[in-house]
Amino acid sequence: MTFQISRRLMLTGAVGASLAGTAAKAAAPKAEEAAFPPEVLAHEHALLGPDDGVALLARNENPYGPSESALKMVDYAGKKGAYYPGQANVVLAEMIADRHGVDPKQIVITTGSGEALSAIAVLYGPKGPIVAPRLFWDTTALYATRLGMAEISRVPLKDDMSVDLEGIEAAVTEETGLVQLCNPNNPTGLVSDSKTFKTAVKNMAKKTTVLVDEAYMELADDPDGNTCMDLVKKGHDVIVSRTFSKIYGMAGLRVGYTISSEETAEKIRGAAMSWIAGTGLASAIGAYNDQKFLDFSKSKIVEARDMILTKTKELGMEALPSQTNFVYFKSGKPANELQQALAAKNVLIRGQYMDYSDWSRVSMGKLEDVERFCALLPEAASV
Ligand SMILES: Cc1ncc(COP(=O)(O)O)c(C=O)c1O
């Protein structure tokens, strides 16, 4: 079934703004805003997903999903669509709790992890600044700032673009509302050294709540060694968030979750605003333990990433050693210009973040789309 949205409707912004999430609203671009200018959005007409012939490498999705195990459950949930979702939330929480060795009451399931992160930002923002690295996935913290409920205190990255944990620790006081870290970080794709990271998180959690956004953790080389789940289990004031949007390839099905203490979970649950669709819950249940699909997805992502890292190296471009499904690299051309040059060839990547004009971010997609990106890169990046 193909639905196309008219170019006119797209260019009026009626559809483009929602497709772009927080596209092009603020004058000064924040980390996650102003990502998709109208020239790039003009390449999107399909009701869901990219148009035929468009390589969408801009939003860190996994087009190898959803898995068959998820799709079967979408079908089942669609047929039960007349009814509110029943026990699905409880069953999914039990499955997640079981894997991580926590009580189901410690799990909050939301419409994408974005909803939980937004709820956390409005819960903790009024207490004091949200301390975070200068560059991180700031959409939900910005949501709270737009509501007048938070301020973000950004700590510069280190010269190698890694998160300055010492600097962040030094910025935390008893007045801090929340520390928000993203590990692996977006858009850099870097994972912090596990021991240093956990030590810093433990220290900061003595003074304030620490939120660790692990949206991409399953894609890291050593997820078990790097996750902060163990700190939650040991009773530190830490919240970990995860999502079905990345390795599970279910961004459009909108399911994510947090793991925290029961008390914190109760607060997050109280601030969440939506009721998750039955299709999302059912598909998450279907996919959660589908290890075969997860291994397959990770292998495709790693293959695509290696392809891009090899290409950028061959072209003499600096690229950060990503442990995610995106690569942050310097093409030698301003990021927005590279984005537009590639968009003209129907390959969509991210534009500039904040004032990091030299850095571009490309997401992994189907291998053939990543091959197209690699083939076009030398000419698109030429100045
Ligand atoms: C680091 C990070 N966290 C959270 C999200 C939110 O994802 P979702 O709401 O689809 O779970 C994203 C989306 O790209 C992200 O990059």
Side-chain angles (χ1 to χ4, degrees):
M1 193 176 356
T2 49
F3 283 100
Q4 298 285 304
I5 295 166
S6 79
R7 188 179 161 81
R8 206 171 124 252
L9 186 59
M10 177 63 74
L11 291 176
T12 59
V15 176
S18 70
L19 282 182
T22 48
K25 267 184 222 143
K30 310 289 190 315
E32 274 299 330
E33 287 194 313
F36 303 103
E39 301 86 329
V40 173
L41 289 175
H43 290 259
E44 297 196 61
H45 309 98
L47 189 62
L48 297 168
D51 290 4
D52 289 345
V54 169
L56 180 55
L57 306 176
R59 301 199 182 102
N60 303 345
E61 294 143 334
N62 167 19
Y64 286 101
S67 60
E68 283 303 317
S69 52
L71 289 175
K72 263 191 224 153
M73 293 296 276
V74 170
D75 186 47
Y76 163 75
K79 292 186 177 122
K80 300 283 178 189
Y83 304 102
Y84 291 109
Q87 290 304 299
N89 197 320
V90 177
V91 170
L92 182 58
E94 278 170 359
M95 289 172 82
I96 296 169
D98 195 41
R99 180 178 310 164
H100 294 291
V102 295
D103 192 289
K105 291 196 197 88
Q106 293 177 254
I107 313 288
V108 183
I109 301 168
T110 49
T111 302
S113 59
E115 187 191 17
L117 297 176
S118 293
I120 293 164
V122 298
L123 279 172
Y124 292 89
K127 270 180 60 194
I130 297 177
V131 177
R134 181 148 190 269
L135 202 47
F136 74 115
W137 193 71
D138 60 9
T139 301
T140 54
L142 287 172
Y143 163 75
T145 63
R146 278 197 299 278
L147 294 175
M149 297 177 80
E151 260 176 47
I152 309 176
S153 168
R154 295 178 189 261
V155 176
L157 297 178
K158 297 215 276 203
D159 289 345
D160 62 0
M161 302 294 276
S162 65
V163 171
D164 181 0
L165 291 160
E166 268 177 34
I168 293 180
E169 215 180 309
V172 173
T173 67
E174 301 291 341
E175 273 72 55
T176 300
L178 179 78
V179 173
Q180 183 163 350
L181 301 168
C182 186
N183 195 35
N185 200 11
N186 180 8
T188 63
L190 299 175
V191 175
S192 296
D193 170 71
S194 153
K195 199 161 165 243
T196 319
F197 190 83
K198 290 188 192 197
T199 306
V201 169
K202 270 194 278 187
N203 289 342
M204 294 187 285
K206 286 182 190 138
K207 294 187 185 161
T208 190
T209 306
V210 183
L211 167 61
V212 186
D213 176 352
E214 295 189 353
Y216 301 95
M217 187 53 91
E218 294 98 333
L219 295 167
D221 298 345
D222 177 16
D224 292 343
N226 284 289
T227 181
C228 280
M229 297 282 187
D230 50 331
L231 302 188
V232 176
K233 286 201 265 185
K234 285 181 190 145
H236 297 278
D237 190 3
V238 175
I239 307 169
V240 170
S241 65
R242 292 271 178 111
T243 181
F244 284 85
S245 299
K246 307 302 175 185
I247 194 168
Y248 285 92
M250 291 167 47
L253 288 161
R254 312 299 308 127
V255 187
Y257 58 94
T258 55
I259 304 191
S260 64
S261 69
E262 267 185 55
E263 193 192 350
T264 300
E266 199 48 45
K267 281 202 271 181
I268 301 170
R269 222 173 271 122
M273 289 179 76
S274 66
W275 286 266
I276 311 153
T279 42
L281 289 169
S283 54
I285 290 170
Y288 189 61
N289 288 323
D290 188 346
Q291 198 54 44
K292 201 167 154 218
F293 173 76
L294 297 177
D295 293 344
F296 169 76
S297 280
K298 192 162 176 174
S299 74
K300 291 289 174 194
I301 288 162
V302 170
E303 194 177 339
R305 202 167 69 196
D306 286 348
M307 222 190 273
I308 289 176
L309 291 174
T310 304
K311 185 51 136 193
T312 46
K313 190 167 176 202
E314 187 188 307
L315 297 172
M317 297 173 180
E318 181 183 353
L320 298 180
S322 166
Q323 292 196 31
T324 59
N325 61 342
F326 50 88
V327 172
Y328 207 41
F329 68 104
K330 272 178 163 174
S331 74
K333 191 172 190 161
N336 288 344
E337 288 177 31
L338 181 69
Q339 183 188 40
Q340 288 186 18
L342 287 165
K345 307 275 184 195
N346 278 338
V347 173
L348 307 185
I349 67 163
R350 260 295 303 238
Q352 180 179 326
Y353 282 88
M354 302 178 89
D355 52 359
Y356 295 87
S357 57
D358 298 346
W359 290 92
S360 295
R361 192 195 72 186
V362 58
S363 309
M364 303 310 107
K366 286 261 165 78
L367 288 177
E368 57 271 25
D369 289 339
V370 173
E371 272 164 14
R372 243 171 95 192
F373 164 82
C374 289
L376 289 168
L377 184 61
E379 199 191 319
S382 67
V383 279

